[in-house]
Amino acid sequence: MVGELKMVFAVRRDLDLGKGKIAAQVAHAAVSCALRSMERQRDKFDEWMRQGQKKIVVKVPGIEDIIRIREKAASMGIIFEVVTDAGLTQTEPGTVTCIGLGPDSSERLDTITGMYHLL
Amino acid sequence: MVGELKMVFAVRRDLDLGKGKIAAQVAHAAVSCALRSMERQRDKFDEWMRQGQKKIVVKVPGIEDIIRIREKAASMGIIFEVVTDAGLTQTEPGTVTCIGLGPDSSERLDTITGMYHLL
């Protein structure tokens, strides 16, 4: 039996980004994670697509959370993508805005981001 | 010479969706458009990735705009994906929330969505 697979996106709430900016940053993470999983974890990618490519967006207090999430994901072999904004508007150049994780099992991802609230 | 390529996402503002919901819907469109362009318009996909996968998010008044955008994109051979929300939260099941376009040239896309404001 295969459990639920999802992607999770953790967005910094301390930057006070606008709706469109957040959407573009999360979409960037989603495309990068999808392409990477196609190459490296094809079974998970295919099953995630078959299940309807579920996505969850949560908010985190700041950069320390992004760093913690990235380290945990790396140690668990979960695909991730940290997104850095070009900084033409709203942020300083090179500002880390969010991290995307997966696709991977909900159980595994929830051990990393389950404590955060939905954005 | 190759011009700028981008994806454009047009989000309905009449639904009053939350930030996280919008991000997930736009990310869904982005992944679907990316995969479709990989298959059907590989040169555009590769060049868009090489340029840094630019994305623009605009807001449109309602469903009539999504329909008009879809028809225009289809007639111009521009890849598109209309996103329908599962409707578990915030919307009725099957509600069309946004449309993703491209990647394609900025000039071609601007003839379809250039009149809308950024979200």
Side-chain angles (χ1 to χ4, degrees), chain B residues 39-116:
Chain B
E39 287 177 11
R40 302 188 196 168
Q41 302 188 355
R42 185 74 200 212
D43 288 353
K44 282 182 181 170
F45 173 79
D46 287 344
E47 178 60 20
W48 173 71
M49 287 295 289
R50 200 192 61 73
Q51 291 183 7
Q53 49 162 304
K54 184 174 182 183
K55 299 177 201 69
I56 297 292
V57 186
V58 301
K59 53 189 170 187
V60 301
I63 184 67
E64 294 78 11
D65 302 84
I66 304 286
I67 293 169
R68 185 192 66 76
I69 291 168
R70 183 188 61 192
E71 290 176 355
K72 195 84 191 292
S75 74
M76 290 174 70
I78 291 172
I79 282 170
F80 65 90
E81 174 81 7
V82 175
V83 181
T84 303
D85 189 44
L88 303 177
T89 55
Q90 296 188 34
T91 65
E92 292 294 307
T95 302
V96 170
T97 55
C98 69
I99 185 170
L101 303 174
D104 214 298
S105 77
S106 285
E107 287 84 357
R108 272 160 56 84
L109 290 170
D110 286 349
T111 66
I112 308 181
T113 57
M115 69 292 287
Y116 297 116

Coordinates of all heavy atoms in Angstrom, one line a residue, chain B residues 39-116:
Chain B
E39 N 7.5 18.3 -22.9 CA 7.1 17.3 -23.9 C 6.9 17.9 -25.3 O 7.3 17.3 -26.3 CB 5.8 16.6 -23.5 CG 6.0 15.7 -22.3 CD 4.6 15.1 -21.9 OE1 3.7 15.3 -22.7 OE2 4.6 14.4 -20.8
R40 N 6.3 19.1 -25.4 CA 5.8 19.6 -26.6 C 6.6 20.7 -27.2 O 6.6 21.0 -28.4 CB 4.4 20.0 -26.5 CG 3.5 18.9 -26.0 CD 2.0 19.4 -26.0 NE 1.2 18.5 -25.3 CZ -0.1 18.8 -24.9 NH1 -0.6 20.0 -25.4 NH2 -0.8 18.0 -24.2
Q41 N 7.3 21.5 -26.3 CA 8.0 22.7 -26.8 C 9.3 22.8 -26.1 O 9.6 23.7 -25.4 CB 7.2 24.0 -26.6 CG 5.8 23.9 -27.2 CD 5.0 25.3 -27.1 OE1 5.5 26.2 -26.5 NE2 3.9 25.3 -27.8
R42 N 10.1 21.7 -26.3 CA 11.3 21.5 -25.5 C 12.3 22.7 -25.6 O 13.0 23.0 -24.6 CB 12.0 20.2 -26.0 CG 13.2 19.8 -25.1 CD 12.8 19.3 -23.8 NE 13.9 19.4 -22.8 CZ 14.0 18.5 -21.8 NH1 13.2 17.5 -21.7 NH2 15.0 18.6 -20.9
D43 N 12.4 23.3 -26.8 CA 13.3 24.4 -27.0 C 13.0 25.6 -26.1 O 13.8 26.2 -25.4 CB 13.4 24.9 -28.4 CG 14.1 23.9 -29.3 OD1 14.7 22.9 -28.8 OD2 14.1 24.0 -30.5
K44 N 11.7 25.9 -26.0 CA 11.2 27.0 -25.2 C 11.4 26.6 -23.7 O 11.8 27.5 -22.9 CB 9.7 27.3 -25.5 CG 9.5 28.1 -26.7 CD 8.0 28.4 -26.9 CE 7.9 29.2 -28.2 NZ 6.5 29.4 -28.6
F45 N 11.1 25.4 -23.4 CA 11.3 25.0 -22.0 C 12.7 25.1 -21.5 O 13.0 25.7 -20.5 CB 10.8 23.5 -21.8 CG 11.1 23.0 -20.4 CD1 10.3 23.3 -19.3 CD2 12.3 22.2 -20.2 CE1 10.7 22.9 -18.0 CE2 12.6 21.8 -18.9 CZ 11.8 22.1 -17.9
D46 N 13.6 24.6 -22.4 CA 15.1 24.7 -22.0 C 15.6 26.1 -21.9 O 16.3 26.4 -21.0 CB 15.9 23.9 -23.1 CG 15.7 22.4 -23.0 OD1 15.2 21.9 -21.9 OD2 16.1 21.7 -23.9
E47 N 15.1 27.0 -22.8 CA 15.6 28.4 -22.8 C 15.0 29.1 -21.6 O 15.7 29.9 -20.9 CB 15.2 29.1 -24.1 CG 15.5 30.5 -24.2 CD 17.0 30.8 -24.0 OE1 17.9 29.9 -24.3 OE2 17.4 32.0 -23.7
W48 N 13.8 28.8 -21.2 CA 13.1 29.4 -20.1 C 13.9 29.0 -18.8 O 14.1 29.9 -17.9 CB 11.7 29.0 -20.0 CG 10.9 29.3 -18.8 CD1 10.4 30.6 -18.5 CD2 10.4 28.5 -17.8 NE1 9.7 30.5 -17.3 CE2 9.7 29.2 -16.8 CE3 10.5 27.1 -17.6 CZ2 9.1 28.7 -15.7 CZ3 9.9 26.5 -16.4 CH2 9.2 27.3 -15.5
M49 N 14.2 27.7 -18.7 CA 15.0 27.3 -17.5 C 16.4 28.0 -17.5 O 16.8 28.4 -16.5 CB 15.2 25.8 -17.6 CG 13.9 25.0 -17.3 SD 13.4 25.2 -15.6 CE 14.6 24.3 -14.6
R50 N 17.0 28.1 -18.7 CA 18.3 28.7 -18.8 C 18.3 30.2 -18.3 O 19.2 30.7 -17.7 CB 18.8 28.6 -20.2 CG 20.4 28.8 -20.3 CD 20.8 29.0 -21.8 NE 20.2 30.2 -22.4 CZ 20.6 31.4 -22.1 NH1 21.5 31.6 -21.2 NH2 20.0 32.5 -22.6
Q51 N 17.1 30.8 -18.6 CA 17.0 32.2 -18.3 C 16.6 32.4 -16.8 O 16.5 33.5 -16.3 CB 15.9 32.9 -19.2 CG 16.4 33.1 -20.6 CD 15.3 33.8 -21.5 OE1 14.3 34.3 -20.9 NE2 15.5 33.9 -22.8
G52 N 16.3 31.3 -16.1 CA 16.0 31.4 -14.7 C 14.5 31.2 -14.3 O 14.1 31.7 -13.3
Q53 N 13.8 30.6 -15.3 CA 12.3 30.3 -15.1 C 11.5 31.5 -14.6 O 10.9 31.4 -13.5 CB 12.1 29.0 -14.4 CG 12.7 28.7 -13.1 CD 12.0 27.6 -12.3 OE1 10.8 27.7 -12.0 NE2 12.7 26.5 -12.0
K54 N 11.5 32.6 -15.3 CA 10.8 33.8 -14.9 C 9.3 33.5 -14.8 O 8.7 32.8 -15.7 CB 11.0 34.9 -15.9 CG 10.3 36.2 -15.5 CD 10.7 37.4 -16.3 CE 10.0 38.7 -15.8 NZ 10.3 39.9 -16.7
K55 N 8.6 34.1 -13.8 CA 7.2 33.9 -13.6 C 6.6 35.2 -13.2 O 7.1 35.9 -12.3 CB 6.9 32.9 -12.5 CG 7.5 31.5 -12.8 CD 7.2 30.6 -11.7 CE 8.2 29.4 -11.7 NZ 9.6 29.8 -11.4
I56 N 5.4 35.5 -13.7 CA 4.6 36.7 -13.4 C 3.2 36.3 -13.0 O 2.6 35.4 -13.6 CB 4.5 37.6 -14.7 CG1 5.9 38.1 -15.2 CG2 3.6 38.8 -14.4 CD1 6.5 39.0 -14.2
V57 N 2.7 36.9 -11.9 CA 1.4 36.6 -11.4 C 0.5 37.8 -11.5 O 0.8 38.9 -10.9 CB 1.4 36.1 -10.0 CG1 0.0 35.6 -9.6 CG2 2.4 34.9 -9.8
V58 N -0.6 37.7 -12.3 CA -1.5 38.9 -12.4 C -2.9 38.5 -11.9 O -3.2 37.3 -11.7 CB -1.6 39.3 -13.9 CG1 -0.3 39.8 -14.4 CG2 -2.3 38.3 -14.7
K59 N -3.7 39.5 -11.6 CA -5.0 39.2 -11.1 C -6.1 39.6 -12.2 O -5.9 40.6 -12.9 CB -5.3 40.0 -9.8 CG -5.0 41.5 -9.9 CD -5.1 42.1 -8.5 CE -4.6 43.6 -8.5 NZ -4.5 44.2 -7.1
V60 N -7.1 38.8 -12.3 CA -8.2 39.1 -13.3 C -9.5 39.1 -12.5 O -9.7 38.5 -11.5 CB -8.2 38.0 -14.4 CG1 -6.8 38.0 -15.1 CG2 -8.6 36.7 -13.9
P61 N -10.5 39.9 -13.1 CA -11.7 40.1 -12.4 C -12.5 38.8 -12.1 O -13.1 38.6 -11.1 CB -12.5 41.0 -13.3 CG -11.5 41.8 -14.1 CD -10.4 40.8 -14.3
G62 N -12.6 37.9 -13.1 CA -13.4 36.7 -12.9 C -13.2 35.6 -13.9 O -12.3 35.6 -14.7
I63 N -14.2 34.7 -13.9 CA -14.1 33.5 -14.8 C -14.1 33.8 -16.3 O -13.5 33.2 -17.1 CB -15.2 32.5 -14.4 CG1 -15.1 31.2 -15.3 CG2 -16.6 33.1 -14.7 CD1 -13.9 30.4 -14.9
E64 N -14.8 34.9 -16.6 CA -14.9 35.3 -18.1 C -13.5 35.6 -18.6 O -13.1 35.3 -19.8 CB -15.8 36.5 -18.3 CG -17.2 36.3 -18.0 CD -17.5 36.3 -16.5 OE1 -16.7 36.7 -15.7 OE2 -18.7 35.9 -16.1
D65 N -12.6 36.2 -17.8 CA -11.2 36.5 -18.2 C -10.4 35.2 -18.4 O -9.6 35.1 -19.3 CB -10.6 37.4 -17.1 CG -11.3 38.7 -16.9 OD1 -12.3 38.6 -16.1 OD2 -11.0 39.7 -17.5
I66 N -10.6 34.3 -17.5 CA -9.9 33.0 -17.6 C -10.3 32.3 -18.9 O -9.4 31.8 -19.7 CB -10.3 32.0 -16.4 CG1 -10.0 32.7 -15.1 CG2 -9.5 30.7 -16.6 CD1 -8.5 32.8 -14.7
I67 N -11.6 32.3 -19.3 CA -12.1 31.7 -20.5 C -11.5 32.4 -21.7 O -11.0 31.8 -22.7 CB -13.6 31.8 -20.5 CG1 -14.2 30.8 -19.5 CG2 -14.1 31.3 -21.9 CD1 -15.7 31.0 -19.2
R68 N -11.5 33.8 -21.7 CA -10.9 34.5 -22.8 C -9.4 34.2 -23.0 O -8.9 34.0 -24.1 CB -11.1 36.0 -22.6 CG -10.7 36.9 -23.7 CD -10.6 38.4 -23.3 NE -9.6 38.7 -22.3 CZ -8.3 38.7 -22.6 NH1 -7.8 38.5 -23.8 NH2 -7.4 39.0 -21.6
I69 N -8.7 34.2 -21.9 CA -7.3 33.9 -21.9 C -7.0 32.5 -22.5 O -6.1 32.3 -23.3 CB -6.7 34.1 -20.5 CG1 -6.7 35.5 -20.0 CG2 -5.2 33.5 -20.4 CD1 -6.4 35.7 -18.6
R70 N -7.8 31.6 -22.0 CA -7.6 30.2 -22.5 C -7.8 30.1 -24.0 O -7.0 29.5 -24.7 CB -8.6 29.3 -21.8 CG -8.4 27.8 -22.2 CD -9.5 26.9 -21.6 NE -10.8 27.3 -22.1 CZ -12.0 26.9 -21.6 NH1 -12.0 26.1 -20.6 NH2 -13.1 27.4 -22.2
E71 N -8.9 30.8 -24.5 CA -9.2 30.7 -25.9 C -8.1 31.4 -26.8 O -7.7 30.8 -27.8 CB -10.5 31.4 -26.2 CG -11.7 30.5 -25.7 CD -13.0 31.2 -25.8 OE1 -13.1 32.3 -26.3 OE2 -14.0 30.5 -25.5
K72 N -7.6 32.5 -26.3 CA -6.5 33.2 -27.0 C -5.2 32.3 -27.0 O -4.6 32.2 -28.0 CB -6.3 34.5 -26.3 CG -5.4 35.5 -27.1 CD -6.3 36.3 -28.0 CE -5.4 37.1 -29.0 NZ -4.7 38.2 -28.3
A73 N -4.9 31.8 -25.8 CA -3.7 30.9 -25.8 C -3.8 29.8 -26.7 O -2.8 29.4 -27.4 CB -3.5 30.5 -24.3
A74 N -4.9 29.1 -26.7 CA -5.1 27.9 -27.6 C -5.0 28.3 -29.0 O -4.3 27.6 -29.8 CB -6.5 27.3 -27.3
S75 N -5.5 29.5 -29.4 CA -5.5 29.9 -30.8 C -4.0 30.3 -31.2 O -3.7 30.2 -32.4 CB -6.4 31.1 -31.0 OG -5.9 32.3 -30.5
M76 N -3.2 30.7 -30.2 CA -1.8 31.1 -30.5 C -0.8 29.9 -30.3 O 0.4 30.1 -30.5 CB -1.4 32.2 -29.6 CG -2.2 33.5 -30.0 SD -1.8 34.9 -28.7 CE 0.0 35.2 -29.1
G77 N -1.3 28.8 -29.9 CA -0.4 27.7 -29.7 C 0.5 27.8 -28.5 O 1.6 27.3 -28.4
I78 N 0.0 28.6 -27.5 CA 0.7 28.8 -26.2 C 0.2 27.7 -25.2 O -1.0 27.5 -25.1 CB 0.4 30.2 -25.7 CG1 1.1 31.2 -26.6 CG2 0.9 30.3 -24.2 CD1 0.8 32.6 -26.3
I79 N 1.1 27.1 -24.6 CA 0.7 26.0 -23.6 C 0.0 26.7 -22.4 O 0.4 27.8 -22.0 CB 2.0 25.3 -23.1 CG1 2.4 24.3 -24.2 CG2 1.8 24.6 -21.8 CD1 3.7 23.6 -24.0
F80 N -1.0 26.0 -22.0 CA -1.8 26.6 -20.8 C -2.3 25.5 -19.9 O -2.4 24.3 -20.3 CB -3.0 27.4 -21.3 CG -4.0 26.7 -22.1 CD1 -5.1 26.1 -21.4 CD2 -3.9 26.5 -23.4 CE1 -6.1 25.4 -22.1 CE2 -4.9 25.8 -24.1 CZ -6.0 25.2 -23.5
E81 N -2.7 25.8 -18.7 CA -3.3 24.9 -17.8 C -4.3 25.7 -16.9 O -3.9 26.6 -16.2 CB -2.2 24.3 -16.9 CG -2.8 23.4 -15.7 CD -3.1 22.0 -16.2 OE1 -2.8 21.6 -17.4 OE2 -3.7 21.2 -15.4
V82 N -5.5 25.2 -17.0 CA -6.6 25.8 -16.1 C -6.6 25.0 -14.9 O -6.7 23.8 -14.9 CB -7.9 25.8 -16.8 CG1 -9.0 26.3 -15.9 CG2 -7.9 26.6 -18.1
V83 N -6.6 25.7 -13.7 CA -6.6 25.0 -12.4 C -7.9 25.0 -11.8 O -8.5 26.1 -11.6 CB -5.5 25.5 -11.5 CG1 -5.5 24.8 -10.2 CG2 -4.1 25.5 -12.1
T84 N -8.4 23.9 -11.4 CA -9.7 23.7 -10.7 C -9.4 23.3 -9.3 O -8.8 22.3 -9.1 CB -10.6 22.7 -11.4 OG1 -10.7 23.1 -12.8 CG2 -11.9 22.6 -10.8
D85 N -10.0 24.0 -8.3 CA -9.7 23.6 -6.9 C -10.6 22.5 -6.5 O -11.8 22.4 -6.9 CB -10.0 24.8 -6.0 CG -9.6 24.6 -4.6 OD1 -8.5 24.1 -4.4 OD2 -10.3 24.9 -3.7
A86 N -10.0 21.6 -5.7 CA -10.8 20.5 -5.2 C -11.9 21.0 -4.3 O -12.9 20.2 -4.1 CB -9.9 19.5 -4.4
G87 N -11.8 22.2 -3.7 CA -12.9 22.8 -3.0 C -13.1 22.3 -1.6 O -14.1 22.4 -1.0
L88 N -12.0 21.7 -1.0 CA -12.1 21.2 0.4 C -12.2 22.4 1.3 O -12.8 22.3 2.4 CB -10.9 20.3 0.7 CG -10.8 19.1 -0.2 CD1 -9.6 18.3 0.2 CD2 -12.0 18.2 -0.1
T89 N -11.6 23.5 1.0 CA -11.6 24.7 1.8 C -11.8 25.9 0.9 O -11.4 25.9 -0.3 CB -10.3 24.9 2.6 OG1 -9.2 24.9 1.7 CG2 -10.1 23.8 3.6
Q90 N -12.4 27.0 1.3 CA -12.4 28.3 0.7 C -13.2 28.4 -0.6 O -13.7 29.5 -0.9 CB -11.0 28.8 0.3 CG -10.1 29.0 1.6 CD -8.8 29.7 1.2 OE1 -8.7 30.5 0.3 NE2 -7.7 29.4 2.0
T91 N -13.4 27.3 -1.4 CA -14.2 27.4 -2.6 C -15.2 26.2 -2.7 O -15.1 25.2 -2.0 CB -13.3 27.4 -3.9 OG1 -12.7 26.1 -3.9 CG2 -12.3 28.5 -3.8
E92 N -16.1 26.4 -3.6 CA -17.0 25.2 -4.0 C -16.2 24.2 -4.8 O -15.3 24.6 -5.6 CB -18.2 25.7 -4.9 CG -19.2 26.6 -4.2 CD -19.9 25.8 -3.1 OE1 -20.5 24.8 -3.4 OE2 -19.9 26.3 -1.9
P93 N -16.5 22.9 -4.7 CA -15.7 21.9 -5.5 C -15.8 22.3 -7.0 O -16.9 22.6 -7.5 CB -16.5 20.6 -5.2 CG -17.1 20.9 -3.9 CD -17.5 22.3 -3.8
G94 N -14.7 22.2 -7.6 CA -14.7 22.4 -9.1 C -14.5 23.8 -9.5 O -14.6 24.1 -10.7
T95 N -14.3 24.7 -8.6 CA -14.1 26.1 -8.9 C -12.8 26.4 -9.7 O -11.7 26.0 -9.2 CB -14.1 27.0 -7.6 OG1 -15.3 26.8 -6.9 CG2 -13.9 28.5 -8.0
V96 N -12.9 27.0 -10.8 CA -11.7 27.4 -11.5 C -11.1 28.6 -10.8 O -11.7 29.6 -10.6 CB -12.0 27.9 -13.0 CG1 -10.8 28.5 -13.7 CG2 -12.5 26.6 -13.8
T97 N -9.8 28.5 -10.4 CA -9.1 29.5 -9.7 C -8.1 30.4 -10.5 O -8.0 31.5 -10.2 CB -8.4 28.9 -8.5 OG1 -7.5 27.9 -9.0 CG2 -9.3 28.2 -7.5
C98 N -7.4 29.7 -11.4 CA -6.4 30.4 -12.2 C -6.1 29.7 -13.4 O -6.5 28.6 -13.7 CB -5.1 30.6 -11.3 SG -4.2 29.1 -11.0
I99 N -5.3 30.4 -14.3 CA -4.8 29.7 -15.5 C -3.3 30.1 -15.6 O -2.9 31.2 -15.3 CB -5.5 30.2 -16.8 CG1 -5.0 29.4 -18.0 CG2 -5.4 31.7 -17.0 CD1 -5.9 29.7 -19.3
G100 N -2.5 29.1 -16.0 CA -1.1 29.3 -16.2 C -0.8 29.2 -17.7 O -1.4 28.5 -18.4
L101 N 0.1 30.1 -18.2 CA 0.5 30.2 -19.6 C 2.0 30.1 -19.8 O 2.7 30.6 -19.0 CB 0.1 31.5 -20.2 CG -1.4 31.9 -20.1 CD1 -1.5 33.4 -20.6 CD2 -2.3 31.0 -20.8
G102 N 2.4 29.3 -20.8 CA 3.8 29.3 -21.2 C 4.6 28.1 -20.6 O 3.9 27.2 -20.2
P103 N 5.9 28.2 -20.7 CA 6.7 29.4 -21.0 C 6.6 29.7 -22.5 O 6.5 28.8 -23.4 CB 8.1 28.9 -20.7 CG 8.1 27.4 -20.7 CD 6.8 27.0 -20.3
D104 N 6.6 31.0 -22.7 CA 6.5 31.6 -24.1 C 7.1 33.0 -24.1 O 7.5 33.4 -23.0 CB 5.1 31.6 -24.7 CG 5.1 31.3 -26.1 OD1 5.7 32.1 -26.9 OD2 4.5 30.3 -26.5
S105 N 7.3 33.6 -25.2 CA 7.9 34.9 -25.3 C 7.1 35.9 -24.6 O 5.8 35.9 -24.6 CB 8.2 35.3 -26.7 OG 7.0 35.8 -27.3
S106 N 7.7 36.8 -23.9 CA 7.0 37.9 -23.2 C 6.1 38.7 -24.1 O 5.0 39.0 -23.8 CB 8.0 38.9 -22.6 OG 8.6 38.3 -21.4
E107 N 6.6 38.9 -25.3 CA 5.8 39.7 -26.3 C 4.5 39.0 -26.6 O 3.4 39.6 -26.6 CB 6.5 39.9 -27.6 CG 7.7 40.9 -27.5 CD 9.0 40.3 -27.0 OE1 8.9 39.1 -26.7 OE2 10.0 41.0 -26.9
R108 N 4.5 37.7 -26.9 CA 3.3 37.0 -27.2 C 2.4 36.9 -26.0 O 1.2 37.1 -26.1 CB 3.7 35.5 -27.7 CG 4.0 35.5 -29.2 CD 4.8 34.2 -29.6 NE 4.2 33.0 -29.2 CZ 3.3 32.3 -29.9 NH1 2.8 32.8 -31.0 NH2 2.9 31.1 -29.5
L109 N 2.9 36.6 -24.8 CA 2.1 36.5 -23.6 C 1.5 37.9 -23.3 O 0.3 37.9 -22.9 CB 2.9 36.0 -22.5 CG 3.3 34.5 -22.6 CD1 4.3 34.1 -21.5 CD2 2.1 33.6 -22.5
D110 N 2.2 39.0 -23.5 CA 1.7 40.3 -23.1 C 0.5 40.7 -24.0 O -0.3 41.5 -23.6 CB 2.8 41.3 -23.2 CG 3.8 41.2 -22.1 OD1 3.5 40.5 -21.1 OD2 4.8 41.9 -22.1
T111 N 0.4 40.1 -25.2 CA -0.8 40.4 -26.0 C -2.1 39.8 -25.4 O -3.2 40.2 -25.7 CB -0.7 39.9 -27.4 OG1 -0.7 38.4 -27.4 CG2 0.5 40.4 -28.1
I112 N -1.9 38.8 -24.5 CA -3.0 38.1 -23.8 C -3.3 38.7 -22.4 O -4.4 38.9 -22.0 CB -2.8 36.6 -23.7 CG1 -2.4 36.0 -25.1 CG2 -4.0 35.9 -23.2 CD1 -2.2 34.5 -25.0
T113 N -2.2 38.9 -21.7 CA -2.4 39.3 -20.2 C -1.7 40.6 -19.9 O -1.7 41.0 -18.7 CB -1.8 38.2 -19.3 OG1 -0.4 38.0 -19.7 CG2 -2.5 36.9 -19.5
G114 N -1.2 41.3 -20.9 CA -0.5 42.6 -20.6 C -1.3 43.7 -20.0 O -0.8 44.6 -19.4
M115 N -2.6 43.5 -20.1 CA -3.5 44.6 -19.6 C -3.9 44.4 -18.2 O -4.6 45.3 -17.6 CB -4.8 44.7 -20.5 CG -5.8 43.5 -20.4 SD -5.1 41.9 -21.0 CE -5.2 42.2 -22.8
Y116 N -3.5 43.3 -17.5 CA -3.9 43.1 -16.1 C -2.8 43.6 -15.2 O -1.6 43.6 -15.5 CB -4.1 41.6 -15.9 CG -5.3 41.0 -16.7 CD1 -5.1 40.1 -17.7 CD2 -6.6 41.5 -16.5 CE1 -6.1 39.6 -18.4 CE2 -7.6 41.0 -17.2 CZ -7.4 40.0 -18.2 OH -8.5 39.5 -18.9

